[in-house]
Amino acid sequence: MSDAAISPAASGPRLPNLGRLAGLVHAAIGMSLLYLVWWIGGRLVAASPDMFAFADFAPGPALSALWNMVQSGEAWAMTWPSLYRVGAGLLAAIVIGVPLGIAIGRVAVLRQITNVPFQFLRMISPLSWMPIAVMAYDTWDGAIIFLITVAAVWPVVFATAAGVRRIDPAWLKVARNLGAKPFHLLTTVILPAIAVDILTGIRLALGVAWIVLVPAEYLGVTSGLGYAINDARDTLDYARLAATVVIIGVIGFGLDFLCQQAVQRLNWVRTDTP
Amino acid sequence: MRQTCSIAKATPPMNALSPAPVTTPQSRATPAEARPFVRVDGISHRYGRGAPVLEDICFNVRRGEVLALIGRSGCGKSTLLHLLAGLSTPGAGQVHIGDRPVTGPSNRWVMMFQSPSLFPWMTVFQNVELGLRFDGRRTQAKHRVPQVLELVDLSAFGDRNVQDLSGGQQQRVALARSLAPEPDILLLDEPFSALDAFTRRSLQGEVRRIAKSLGLTLILVTHDVGEAALMADRAVLLTSGPGRVAADTDIALDDDDRSEATRAFRAETARLSQLYAEVAGMSAATDTPRQKGSAR
Ligand SMILES: Nc1ncnc2c1ncn2[C@@H]1O[C@H](COP(=O)(O)OP(=O)(O)OP(=O)(O)O)[C@@H](O)[C@H]1O
Ligand SMILES: [Mg+2]
């Protein structure tokens, strides 16, 4: 095939199997640099007469605290409630956001009516709903899940609507022409066509939800990663505090990675040569 | 042969009494004039408040016939085909296919578009199966899809993603997809125009052969007189601005003569080109009385 004839020339000077390895090498270099900055920061804090009390932020104490927390199962115990809250909030955001996004993408009038109010609501920090959420819900869990939903719903709505608007009208015509009912249009054309857009929206929503989670857990609740940070600060246990920050980063990275994998699996667009 | 609008309008009462046509050799053998399979009755159409695109279009098509609609770009051929397929509703007039008025899309009458528009997230098999799936006949697909893939010579490609196929292969998948639900009539909107000349010629012959072997009625839109001569039993020529039926002529060619090499084919193409040129000249002049008469 002509593709095969072209690809060696197009791949440039670098060998293809080194390319994959290079990704890992680059990531390792980046992480080492980050660790170095953390370590230097720790040395500077320890050397500073004003701040030496915070020296446990440094990588050494933090990582050994992390090791203890993982061994005792404490790391998992503080992560699980947070995961539950983010999962429930995200689920609510998807259940609300996907149908809403599809409706907005399909119906021009609805799009015009909702455009300004939605952009307006989107720009309000989700945390500013905190007092209302606390009043409206009996449990702290309910209030936190509400805040996460409010934060996560917008990326899902907008990504879904944008995906629907990019659907090739010819696909819908072809399906109608073959006798598709509206239900068929939804399940065989619209949803598969926008699956990647929805997942991209969910990935963005996850990022926002994970960011909102920690401050939301500062109030009321006695579990979760945000609570753990607050608690560590109150007990002046800065090694634990830094370890919790590392856990937040690792879990967030892991969830995002899973989303990214799902996007790649569902993506039907052929971008590069096989 | 040519049916004027007044005759066509007189037919419905008679047809309402006649029994529903069934797909038996006998029913196909009945005289065509007695029971046209497709009846297009005084179709007029315009988009929004724009100028009329189609005006008082009337013609009939017999069962199993291949009809070419020839006209210049923009004369409303695609519009007409969409109306026949029930994908949009005409401003005036009506279309009957069999004994049913066309009120919406159905997999009894299927249209094939200029671009194949296959669903890229599906395999060839899944694309071809769609019409049966929408009809709740998914169990049939296991037998039916391999049959139609065989018909379009793509048996080996069922499991492939459609993005791995060439343009000509994709258009053949689109053909198989249209054939799978066993429609009575296939409406083709210049489905080969994006292909190279060689692929186009071979597909043109193939589609005619398939239609004839299945007893399928074909309505084919084209602005290529050669394509009409290769594929069609009859041609209807349209004027433009607004589109009207200007001529209706039989294409009397044996199947052996339907190849660019034969003299009969060249003569027929020349005749059609001549007619086409006359019609094109006619649509430039406004409303000559000849428009209603036969240009044959
Ligand atoms: N959706 C639409 N809205 C408004 N006008 C339209 C629309 N579709 C087609 N038209 C107009 O109707 C006329 C006929 O269009 P149509 O697509 O039916 O022509 P055609 O004969 O199929 O041309 P071609 O051979 O180029 O495909 C054109 O003048 C076009 O501008
Ligand atoms: Mg057209």
Side-chain angles (χ1 to χ4, degrees):
Chain A
M1 295 254 305
S2 58
D3 284 349
I6 291 167
S7 53
S11 69
R14 183 160 281 136
L15 289 167
N17 48 357
L18 194 84
R20 186 170 291 175
L21 213 71
L24 280 177
V25 170
H26 291 158
I29 292 174
M31 287 311 286
S32 309
L33 282 174
L34 186 61
Y35 186 87
L36 186 69
V37 169
W38 186 10
W39 182 79
I40 291 172
R43 293 307 291 251
L44 290 177
V45 166
S48 156
D50 291 337
M51 296 199 292
F52 68 92
F54 302 112
D56 277 355
F57 271 123
L63 290 181
S64 68
L66 180 63
W67 179 243
N68 288 336
M69 286 158 74
V70 169
Q71 290 235 302
S72 66
E74 194 190 350
W76 175 242
M78 66 171 66
T79 304
W80 160 242
S82 293
L83 277 181
Y84 161 73
R85 287 166 196 142
V86 164
L90 214 53
L91 189 69
I94 293 167
V95 167
I96 299 167
V98 171
L100 194 60
I102 290 177
I104 291 175
R106 294 278 290 159
V107 185
V109 178
L110 205 58
R111 182 161 61 244
Q112 277 146 18
I113 291 176
T114 55
N115 184 26
V116 172
F118 278 12
Q119 296 293 351
F120 173 80
L121 287 172
R122 185 175 74 102
M123 294 312 289
I124 299 171
S125 163
L127 291 172
S128 31
W129 301 107
M130 192 113 74
I132 295 170
V134 170
M135 272 193 292
Y137 287 88
D138 293 342
T139 61
W140 288 108
D141 263 355
I144 292 172
I145 290 170
F146 170 81
L147 291 179
I148 290 172
T149 306
V150 167
V153 77
W154 303 115
V156 176
V157 169
F158 292 128
T160 306
V164 169
R165 291 196 64 187
R166 275 200 308 274
I167 292 178
D168 184 349
W171 287 339
L172 295 169
K173 197 159 77 174
V174 160
R176 255 182 355 109
N177 176 47
L178 288 167
K181 320 272 179 302
F183 170 76
H184 293 132
L185 288 182
L186 185 69
T187 54
T188 53
V189 184
I190 297 176
L191 284 179
I194 63 170
V196 168
D197 299 279
I198 294 178
L199 264 178
T200 310
I202 291 175
R203 192 176 161 203
L204 287 174
L206 181 76
V208 179
W210 200 242
I211 288 168
V212 169
L213 172 82
V214 171
E217 281 179 342
Y218 281 174
L219 48 100
V221 289
T222 51
S223 62
L225 295 164
Y227 167 77
I229 287 194
N230 239 5
D231 190 48
R233 188 197 61 191
D234 291 348
T235 55
L236 308 181
D237 191 346
Y238 296 120
R240 245 170 75 84
L241 202 160
T244 311
V245 169
V246 171
I247 293 176
I248 291 173
V250 168
I251 305 264
F253 180 86
L255 291 175
D256 187 67
F257 181 76
L258 288 180
C259 271
Q260 200 188 331
Q261 292 299 105
V263 168
Q264 266 175 23
R265 278 195 61 127
L266 277 178
N267 198 359
W268 42 263
V269 178
R270 297 283 165 84
T271 44
D272 45 11
T273 50
Chain B
M1 182 58 241
R2 176 177 148 81
Q3 295 232 296
T4 66
C5 221
S6 55
I7 293 171
K9 272 172 185 150
T11 33
M14 185 194 75
N15 273 275
L17 292 174
S18 65
V22 280
T23 337
T24 62
Q26 282 103 330
S27 87
R28 224 175 284 151
T30 52
E33 277 76 13
R35 211 194 300 179
F37 183 56
V38 181
R39 299 195 308 279
V40 182
D41 258 338
I43 291 269
S44 300
H45 193 71
R46 65 173 71 199
Y47 288 99
R49 296 216 180 81
V53 173
L54 293 170
E55 213 165 74
D56 202 28
I57 302 280
C58 299
F59 59 87
N60 293 333
V61 189
R62 280 174 287 142
R63 188 182 269 277
E65 190 175 32
V66 180
L67 175 77
L69 291 171
I70 309 178
R72 286 166 59 172
S73 180
C75 77
K77 303 182 297 293
S78 298
T79 306
L80 180 55
L81 224 51
H82 277 78
L83 296 173
L84 298 188
L87 286 168
S88 41
T89 318
Q94 215 177 21
V95 179
H96 282 80
I97 295 179
D99 268 2
R100 279 197 271 169
V102 173
T103 54
S106 152
N107 57 19
R108 310 300 328 134
W109 43 84
V110 173
M111 183 157 165
M112 227 182 114
F113 304 93
Q114 188 163 342
S115 74
S117 294
L118 303 174
F119 297 118
W121 53 87
M122 293 182 183
T123 62
V124 168
F125 188 100
Q126 290 167 326
N127 267 284
V128 173
E129 171 195 52
L130 278 176
L132 296 168
R133 229 168 102 182
F134 295 154
D135 209 18
R137 291 193 273 162
R138 201 169 186 172
T139 43
Q140 279 182 27
K142 234 178 262 140
H143 311 288
R144 181 66 186 153
V145 173
Q147 273 175 20
V148 282
L149 284 180
E150 172 91 60
L151 212 55
V152 299
D153 210 15
L154 284 178
S155 291
F157 290 79
D159 295 333
R160 298 277 283 275
N161 184 288
V162 293
Q163 291 173 99
D164 299 340
L165 272 56
S166 74
Q169 289 170 328
Q170 290 194 12
Q171 201 54 279
R172 294 222 294 271
V173 175
L175 177 63
R177 178 178 63 186
S178 310
L179 293 174
E182 295 174 87
D184 300 319
I185 168 162
L186 208 57
L187 305 154
L188 307 178
D189 191 359
E190 307 187 38
F192 315 120
S193 53
L195 305 175
D196 66 276
F198 184 77
T199 316
R200 184 164 62 230
R201 287 287 173 250
S202 80
L203 263 176
Q204 283 164 343
E206 218 174 302
V207 168
R208 181 181 164 88
R209 204 197 66 238
I210 290 172
K212 287 294 168 191
S213 71
L214 298 176
L216 198 65
T217 309
L218 277 190
I219 298 182
L220 162 83
V221 153
T222 180
H223 49 234
D224 173 8
V225 169
E227 180 165 283
L230 270 177
M231 294 181 70
D233 302 318
R234 206 178 114 214
V236 164
L237 280 77
L238 299 175
T239 58
S240 49
R244 296 183 186 188
V245 176
D248 187 331
T249 178
D250 285 321
I251 297 174
L253 282 177
D254 293 334
D255 275 352
D256 295 339
D257 287 337
R258 291 186 191 265
S259 125
E260 278 168 329
T262 70
R263 177 172 301 166
F265 177 86
R266 281 200 297 269
E268 194 63 11
T269 317
R271 187 179 70 84
L272 285 174
S273 298
Q274 168 77 26
L275 201 56
Y276 191 18
E278 268 177 48
V279 167
M282 216 159 68
S283 60
T286 43
D287 255 20
T288 50
R290 277 178 66 202
Q291 274 184 348
K292 282 277 170 182
S294 173
R296 286 156 82 180

